[in-house]
Structures are given as structure tokens and as C-alpha cells.
């Protein structure tokens, strides 16, 4: 099986095809695929769905995919890798978007690998279509501040995707009101600021009693506030271990662990393996995936 790599931090590509130019393949980067025109079948891992114009798909590293085109199709691919995500956090050459990487993390850890078009708000489809049209006009041009304009357009698309993903919650969370999403979204968005996630702070933020908010979060998630916050942090740790070269000390500082020993103990308690072993295991699986060759 062919493996598609991305050798620069960020890329946008538009193609039109009558037949699929590539068979089953695996990607090593994050990808948004927007259907500009045409119809066909999109195969991603074990899922198959019919696509049509204005569909938007979110793909993760190591996803296996291929397409069967029925009518001439225009695909817009927005691709980015771990180097680019790291740049958003560190503010280096490729960074123009501030908290973009954290918005992406919110998406990835609430996506639950939802199959099909990610756009759940129908009113968002014309907005995304306009943004895609702007990207297709701006990206090929060599004008002043072109990169900044392109990245701001992509950032807006990402924000809209995050809004739609917030509708897709696991079955164990019976979201029945806007407040439910608001509380969980608040926790996700402030995961880097432990002082804002204390029970008293949450209660004050949503103007309800401390006892009630503790019971409410447990009813929503099946976990205490502290356990839910810890589990969410550990998902972010897993992302850094698998998709970046961040040192343990950097992960400790960013996610508010006391020290590396605290990170090691917490990670092993909930996963059964220490962070170093987890990273080696994940990287080894990327280099050798039985059943994904040929």
C-alpha cells in the first residue's frame, strides 16, 4: 500500500479528476478534504459514504483511504503535519494563528472518528464554500501577506469545523441542553489553565452551586470533574508523544504537571505504560503496520 507523506509543514492542493488518480493509500498527516464539485464514494478506514458538493471530511494520520469517482470531481485538500502544529504553539516562522493548534486539539479529541461529512450546521455550508473559493483564489497568487491571508482563511474553516464537532459527542454523554456543551467546551478550552478548572471557578463561571456542578459533570460524563480533566489531559499527552518531538519537560510545563515524575505516575496509572514506552510503541507501529502493506 502506498504511503503519502507531507514534506513541508502545510500545503493546499486543488485537483479535478474523472477517475481516481490513486488507489488505497495511507496518510501521515492531518487532512481536510472539501468536495468542490462532483459525486462518488469516499472510503476511509472501514467506512464508506457517498460524497457530493460541499461535503467536508476530517482525516487523521494513519487513516487509510481511497475514492471512487462517479462524475468529474474537484477536491480541495488542506494538509498539515506535526511540524506545523508545533509551530503554532512555539510561535516560530510558520505561526500566524495564535491558539490554532489548541483549536485543532479540541477537534481531534472530540471527533471520535465520526464518519462522513463533518458539517452538521447546514447554515455553515455556504460560509465554508465562500472560504474555500477565497482560498482557491488566494493560494496560487504571489502577493504581499499572501501566507497570512491563507492561514487566516484556514483558521476560520477550522473554527467552523470545531463548532460542528461540538455537536458530535460520545453516546455516554446524554447532552440535552446548550449548557452541557458549554460546560464541557469550557473545560476543553481551559485545559491549559488548571486554576480555571477548580470546582469553585466552574460553579462561578456558570452561576450554579459547587455541589450541583460536580454532580452535573458526573452525570454528563460518568466521571468526576477531576477525573474528566485528567483523562482529557492524558489524551493531549498522547497526541504530543505520538505526533511531536516534544521533550517530557516541555509537556510537563505546558499541561501543568508538577514534574516529570508526576507525569510518569499519572500516565502509567491510567494507561498501564509510561510515556517513553508509549512513544516508542506508537512510533514503531507507524514504521511497521501489518496488513497495511501491498
Amino acid at each position: 500500500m502506498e504511503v503519502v507523506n507531507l514534506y513541508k509543514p502545510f500545503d493546499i492542493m486543488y485537483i479535478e479528476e474523472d477517475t481516481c488518480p490513486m488507489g488505497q493509500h495511507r496518510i501521515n498527516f492531518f487532512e481536510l478534504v472539501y468536495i468542490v464539485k462532483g459525486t462518488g464514494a469516499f472510503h476511509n478506514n472501514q467506512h464508506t459514504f457517498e460524497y457530493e458538493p460541499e461535503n467536508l471530511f476530517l482525516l487523521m494520520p494513519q487513516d487509510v483511504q481511497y475514492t471512487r469517482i462517479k462524475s468529474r470531481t474537484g477536491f480541495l485538500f488542506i494538509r498539515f503535519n506535526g511540524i506545523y502544529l508545533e509551530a503554532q504553539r512555539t510561535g516560530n516562522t510558520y505561526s500566524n494563528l495564535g491558539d490554532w493548534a489548541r483549536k485543532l486539539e479540541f477537534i481531534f479529541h472530540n471527533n471520535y472518528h465520526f464518519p462522513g461529512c463533518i458539517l452538521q450546521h447546514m447554515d455553515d455550508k455556504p460560509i465554508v464554500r465562500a472560504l474555500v473559493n477565497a482560498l482557491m483564489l488566494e493560494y496560487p497568487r504571489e502577493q504581499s501577506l499572501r501566507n497570512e491571508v491563507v492561514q487566516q482563511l484556514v483558521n476560520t474553516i477550522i473554527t467552523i469545523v470545531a463548532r460542528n464537532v461540538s455537536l458530535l459527542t460520545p453516546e455516554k454523554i446524554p447532552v440535552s441542553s446548550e449548557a452541557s456543551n458549554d460546560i464541557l467546551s469550557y473545560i476543553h478550552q481551559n485545559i491549559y489553565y488548571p486554576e480555571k478548572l477548580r470546582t469553585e471557578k466552574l460553579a462561578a463561571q456558570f452561576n450554579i452551586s459547587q455541589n450541583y456542578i460536580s454532580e452535573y459533570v458526573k452525570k454528563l460524563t460518568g466521571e468526576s470533574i477531576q477525573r474528566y480533566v485528567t483523562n482529557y489531559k492524558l489524551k493531549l499527552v498522547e497526541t504530543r508523544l505520538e505526533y511531536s518531538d516534544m521533550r517530557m519537560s516541555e509537556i510537563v510545563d505546558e499541561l501543568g504537571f508538577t514534574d516529570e515524575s508526576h507525569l510518569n505516575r499519572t500516565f502509567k496509572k491510567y494507561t498501564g505504560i509510561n510515556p517513553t514506552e508509549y512513544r516508542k510503541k506508537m512510533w514503531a507501529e507507524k514504521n511497521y503496520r501489518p496488513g497495511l502493506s501491498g
Side-chain angles (χ1 to χ4, degrees), residues 3-4 16 110 117-118 130 211 241 265 272-274 279:
V3 177
V4 181
E16 286 190 22
N110 289 274
C117 178
I118 206 72
N211 287 339
L241 294 173
R265 287 196 311 272
I273 187 173
N274 70 42
R279 172 171 272 168

Side-chain angles (χ1 to χ4, degrees), residues 99-112:
D99 248 3
W100 192 59
R102 290 175 179 177
K103 289 177 184 176
L104 284 172
E105 285 174 342
F106 175 83
I107 292 171
F108 298 154
H109 292 300
N110 289 274
N111 178 31
Y112 301 99

